[in-house]
C-alpha cells in the first residue's frame, strides 16, 4: 500500500516511520510512504503558501493555488491516482470500521493542514474525504496523519507478524468490544494472582472467560460501544 503525504513539515515523519513495525513493513515493500513538501508548489517569489483570511481575523489560511497544484501533481505521480483524505477537526470521526475500509485501498494521498486550515476552495475542487481522529484541535494535520497511517498500515496483509492478532484487537472482530485483560509471568505478583482459568489449559473455558471480560469491560468503560 502506498501513502503520499502532502505537508509543510515533511521532517516530522522520518522519526515515526523508522519505528519497528512500520520500518519492517517499508523494508518488506508492503508499505511505501512518500513525503511531499507543499512549499515546493508555491507560486510566488517568497515561497509563500499561506495568506491572511479575507474578512479579517487571526491566523493564516493555506492558499488554494499551491495546494491544488501540489495534490494534482502528486496524484499524477502514479497511474493509480489514489484516494484523497484531509485531516481536519471538522472531518468524519475515524474509527476501526473506517480504518478497515481505508486499508482496502491501494493508495492514499494524505493532505495535512496547518494554521487555520485550507481555503474552502481546496475542498470544493478536490472533494477529499475529510477525516478527524478526535474532537480536539492539534497544531496541524501531521500527527493525525501519522495516526491514520499507523492504524491503516498495520491492517495491510503481512505487516503484523500474525494476521489473527488484529482480529482480536479492541473495536475489531465480529463484536467490536474492548479487549479482555492480558497476563504473563509471574503467576503471583504482590498477591495479585493470574486468574486460574488462564492456567487451566481448557481453551473453551478460556475463550468463554475472555468473551465475558470483554463484555463487562465494554459495559463499564464504554457504554456507547455496548451491545444493547
Ligand atoms: C489543526 C489543520 N482530529 C484531529 C485534528 C486533525 C487536524 C487538525 N487538528 C486536529 C488541524 C490545525 C490545522 C489541521
Amino acid at each position: 500500500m502506498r501513502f503520499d503525504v502532502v505537508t509543510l513539515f515533511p521532517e516530522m515523519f522520518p522519526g515515526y516511520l523508522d519505528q519497528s513495525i512500520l520500518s519492517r513493513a517499508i523494508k518488506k515493500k508492503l508499505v511505501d510512504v512518500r513525503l511531499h513538501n507543499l512549499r515546493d508548489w508555491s507560486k510566488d517569489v517568497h515561497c509563500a503558501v499561506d495568506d491572511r483570511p479575507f474578512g479579517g481575523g487571526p491566523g493564516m489560511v493555506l492558499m488554494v493555488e499551491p495546494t491544488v497544484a501540489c495534490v494534482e501533481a502528486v496524484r499524477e505521480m502514479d497511474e493509480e491516482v489514489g484516494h484523497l483524505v484531509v485531516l481536519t477537526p471538522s472531518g468524519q470521526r475515524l474509527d476501526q470500521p473506517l480504518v478497515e475500509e481505508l486499508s482496502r485501498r491501494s493508495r492514499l494521498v494524505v493532505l495535512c493542514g496547518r494554521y487555520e486550515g485550507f481555503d474552502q476552495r481546496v475542498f470544493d475542487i478536490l472533494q477529499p474525504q475529510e477525516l478527524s481522529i478526535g474532537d480536539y484541535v492539534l497544531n496541524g494535520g501531521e500527527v493525525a496523519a501519522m495516526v491514520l497511517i499507523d492504524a491503516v498500515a498495520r491492517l495491510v496483509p503481512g505487516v503484523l507478524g500474525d494476521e489473527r492478532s488484529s482480529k482480536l484487537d479492541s473495536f475489531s472482530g465480529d463484536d467490536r468490544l474492548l479487549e479482555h485483560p492480558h497476563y504473563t509471568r509471574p503467576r503471583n505478583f504482590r498477591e495479585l494472582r493470574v486468574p486460574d482459568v488462564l492456567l487451566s489449559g481448557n481453551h473453551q473455558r478460556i475463550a468463554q472467560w475472555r468473551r465475558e471480560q470483554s463484555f463487562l469491560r465494554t459495559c463499564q468503560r464504554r457504554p456507547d460501544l455496548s451491545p444493547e
Side-chain angles (χ1 to χ4, degrees):
M1 176 163 192
R2 172 168 168 168
F3 297 89
D4 289 85
V5 182
V6 173
T7 169
L8 283 171
F9 297 97
E11 62 280 7
M12 288 178 68
F13 288 81
Y16 153 69
L17 295 173
D18 294 342
Q19 58 105 0
S20 60
I21 291 187
L22 212 53
S23 65
R24 247 190 63 233
I26 292 168
K27 276 199 208 95
K28 287 168 72 180
K29 303 205 177 228
L30 297 169
V31 173
D32 183 10
V33 184
R34 313 226 181 165
L35 301 169
H36 309 277
N37 193 333
L38 179 57
R39 200 170 296 284
D40 296 342
W41 276 267
S42 170
K43 303 282 172 179
D44 86 25
V45 285
H46 305 105
C47 293
V49 290
D50 57 335
D51 206 343
R52 296 156 67 192
F54 279 127
M60 299 291 273
V61 176
L62 289 164
M63 297 163 79
V64 62
E65 290 158 279
T67 305
V68 168
C70 177
V71 169
E72 287 180 345
V74 166
R75 299 190 87 171
E76 282 163 26
M77 289 175 186
D78 194 288
E79 59 254 20
E80 147 78 288
V81 293
H83 179 66
L84 179 65
V85 302
V86 181
L87 282 316
T88 163
S90 46
Q92 176 186 9
R93 259 297 267 288
L94 188 69
D95 58 12
Q96 197 64 23
L98 185 48
V99 168
E100 289 169 12
E101 213 177 289
L102 292 167
S103 76
R104 291 192 283 269
R105 304 263 184 187
S106 59
R107 186 183 184 205
L108 291 182
V109 178
V110 183
L111 180 56
C112 304
R114 277 270 147 181
Y115 320 120
E116 304 313 306
F118 294 98
D119 186 303
Q120 176 56 36
R121 291 166 293 185
V122 167
F123 301 95
D124 299 342
I125 293 166
L126 298 174
Q127 298 189 16
Q129 184 174 24
E130 297 180 50
L131 299 178
S132 165
I133 62 161
D135 294 339
Y136 37 82
V137 181
L138 300 169
N139 288 311
E142 286 79 9
V143 170
M146 291 185 224
V147 168
L148 173 73
I149 293 168
D150 199 276
V152 170
R154 65 191 291 285
L155 298 185
V156 171
V159 170
L160 294 182
D162 182 342
E163 291 314 303
R164 288 170 304 171
S165 58
S166 76
K167 299 243 183 341
L168 301 175
D169 287 336
S170 290
F171 320 113
S172 306
D174 295 327
D175 46 16
R176 300 200 175 277
L177 301 177
L178 299 183
E179 265 201 90
H180 56 78
H182 300 278
Y183 292 90
T184 185
R185 296 186 305 160
R187 289 183 178 205
N188 179 5
F189 184 71
R190 299 188 183 181
E191 304 305 295
L192 292 175
R193 285 178 179 76
V194 175
D196 283 332
V197 61
L198 298 179
L199 310 172
S200 69
N202 183 331
H203 297 288
Q204 199 182 318
R205 276 188 62 223
I206 292 169
Q208 171 69 12
W209 181 85
R210 286 177 169 166
R211 273 194 299 275
E212 282 165 12
Q213 291 293 312
S214 284
F215 178 79
L216 286 171
R217 274 196 163 185
T218 307
C219 293
Q220 284 161 359
R221 299 179 185 201
R222 292 293 304 276
D224 59 308
L225 295 176
S226 295
E228 273 68 90

